[in-house]
Amino acid sequence: MDSTQQTNPFLTRGENARKVLQRDPNPHIFRPIAFRSITARNRIVVSPMCQYSATDGVPNDWHFQHLASRAVGGAGLVFTEVTHVEPRGRITPYCLGLWNDEQVAEFRRITKFIKEQGALAGIQLGHAGRKGSTGRACDGGKPLTRNEGGWEVIAPSAIPYGDGHLMPVEMDQATIREVLQAFSESARRAREAGFQVLELHAAHGYLIHQFLSPISNQRKDNYGGSFENRIRFALEAVDATRSEWPSELPLFVRISATDWIDGGWDLESSVELSRILKAGRQVDLIDCSSAALSPMQKLTIYPGYQVPFAAAVRNQAGIPTGAVGLIHSADMAELILARGDADLIFLGRAMLADPYWPIHAAKTLRANYTWPWQYERGDVY
Ligand SMILES: Cc1cc2nc3c(=O)[nH]c(=O)nc-3n(C[C@H](O)[C@H](O)[C@H](O)COP(=O)(O)O)c2cc1C
């Protein structure tokens, strides 16, 4: 168990907590932040969230309204849900993808609107690996067989996610090259679609994470075994993506900082990987999530439970981080930034509940805020 898990910093009443209660006239959460050539108007990020609403990977009106309304609501950076680099890499048949020009055209409509609202447009790219070919949670979330519209899934090793899950095909060198090429081509399409931030999904038990963790990666070649070998695919995915992603635009990586499994990927490995990603100067921020590699995980969750990971990576690897996970209140978000635990706050469910979270947070923290002029008369709370 990680030592960072042992105390909940949000239950302490330190100096920073008192400062927040005294209301900083210039709250950290509303301070702009620059990454390479672009600047976010504030530190509030719409975390990637699957909508399971696409047909053939193409975004539609649902995706438009989901992302557009959160840009209208004042977020600094709006991320798409995980968008897959090839059809085989989808979690469900209803996931978004970026492997053809029709998808590019529909995404362009969305990025244009997000940017017109003053937010940055971000895309999360990923590949589900052995966690692909499943039904939507609302349909029971079970693995799909071929007869049910499922497909063959791939992974670093032929080890299923858990009992009753699909047996993946172990990727050979040619398949590894093919998937890396898909990352590279999707990065090019992301640029063509007008995105300004690209995040690689290396967390939550999906393909890149499957290579990182010794639980899911038991290869005998140069992609398995030692730490250096297990991180090889992640580094190659970063390289493949960067090769088509402009050097003036930022690249983020979302990691699961720990598997929450003895003998699995852990915080120490995450810090070391982050150091390497920073040293290569290709990656601008590590978005620190955790878990979801295997049903063997054991964790207790509480408000801000993943913040210590963002703090450890930020302080020990010296790279900007994003904090995510059960951060619901403006005060907590402000405290995390004021303590220097993270540089950005990613909000998931709170953003689903309230697209205007940033405006409401500004009111709570007594910071300046503006509604879009069309909505000024809605300032009633
Ligand atoms: C409906 C839903 C869909 C999600 N889809 C993704 C996703 O596509 N990519 C990802 O990295 N995380 C995904 N997540 C995780 C969130 O980005 C976030 O890390 C998590 O919900 C914890 O933050 P929260 O407590 O603010 O919701 C999803 C979460 C939810 C609730």
Side-chain angles (χ1 to χ4, degrees), residues 29-231:
I29 194 172
F30 293 107
R31 297 182 191 173
I33 181 168
F35 293 99
R36 300 198 184 221
S37 66
I38 55 168
T39 300
R41 60 183 162 187
N42 60 46
R43 312 296 179 101
I44 305 167
V45 182
V46 178
S47 204
M49 278 182 288
C50 290
Q51 301 295 295
Y52 306 121
S53 301
T55 304
D56 298 328
V58 183
N60 55 40
D61 286 353
W62 178 264
H63 303 94
F64 183 90
Q65 77 74 27
H66 169 64
L67 300 166
S69 54
R70 280 149 190 89
V72 170
L77 166 57
V78 178
F79 269 110
T80 66
E81 68 198 70
V82 61
T83 300
H84 298 101
V85 299
E86 60 169 10
R88 177 174 56 179
R90 288 170 300 166
I91 306 167
T92 77
Y94 304 96
C95 287
L96 284 179
L98 196 44
W99 58 80
N100 67 37
D101 292 341
E102 188 188 354
Q103 293 156 346
V104 172
E106 291 303 319
F107 273 123
R108 200 177 289 126
R109 188 167 83 93
I110 296 174
T111 60
K112 179 171 177 288
F113 186 87
I114 290 175
K115 291 187 272 190
E116 282 167 5
Q117 303 314 308
L120 298 179
I123 184 164
Q124 187 187 55
L125 288 183
H127 192 296
R130 70 180 186 176
K131 286 177 91 175
S133 187
T134 61
R136 297 185 284 197
C138 61
D139 299 327
K142 296 220 174 73
L144 297 177
T145 61
R146 295 285 182 110
N147 289 343
E148 296 164 327
W151 56 90
E152 184 177 87
V153 296
I154 55 174
S157 300
I159 304 171
Y161 169 72
D163 288 345
H165 286 260
L166 298 178
M167 175 61 79
V169 172
E170 177 170 320
M171 293 166 76
D172 58 17
Q173 298 275 341
T175 313
I176 289 176
R177 299 266 84 76
E178 218 175 277
V179 173
L180 291 171
Q181 182 62 24
F183 271 102
S184 166
E185 285 172 21
S186 290
R188 172 178 54 77
R189 291 198 168 94
R191 173 167 51 88
E192 289 166 7
F195 285 103
Q196 297 157 293
V197 184
L198 193 158
E199 175 169 279
L200 270 188
H201 197 350
H204 302 169
Y206 297 115
L207 186 63
I208 300 177
H209 185 184
Q210 289 160 29
F211 272 91
L212 295 175
S213 175
I215 307 280
S216 45
N217 179 352
Q218 293 177 12
R219 296 176 73 94
K220 303 279 177 258
D221 63 1
N222 61 345
Y223 285 94
S226 65
F227 171 81
E228 286 69 26
N229 282 353
R230 282 181 285 111
I231 67 169

Side-chain angles (χ1 to χ4, degrees), residues 273-337:
L273 173 63
S274 303
R275 269 198 201 110
I276 293 167
L277 291 174
K278 187 201 171 197
R281 296 164 58 84
Q282 309 222 69
V283 172
D284 300 279
L285 177 136
I286 306 293
D287 170 11
C288 296
S289 187
S290 75
L293 182 88
S294 152
M296 294 188 294
Q297 67 185 23
K298 288 195 173 55
L299 68 154
T300 311
I301 63 171
Y302 51 82
Y305 70 107
Q306 295 175 146
V307 175
F309 303 138
V313 169
R314 188 174 194 264
N315 298 327
Q316 293 172 40
I319 186 167
T321 57
V324 67
L326 288 180
I327 302 167
H328 291 169
S329 74
D331 279 330
M332 185 191 286
E334 175 61 11
L335 181 55
I336 292 164
L337 297 174

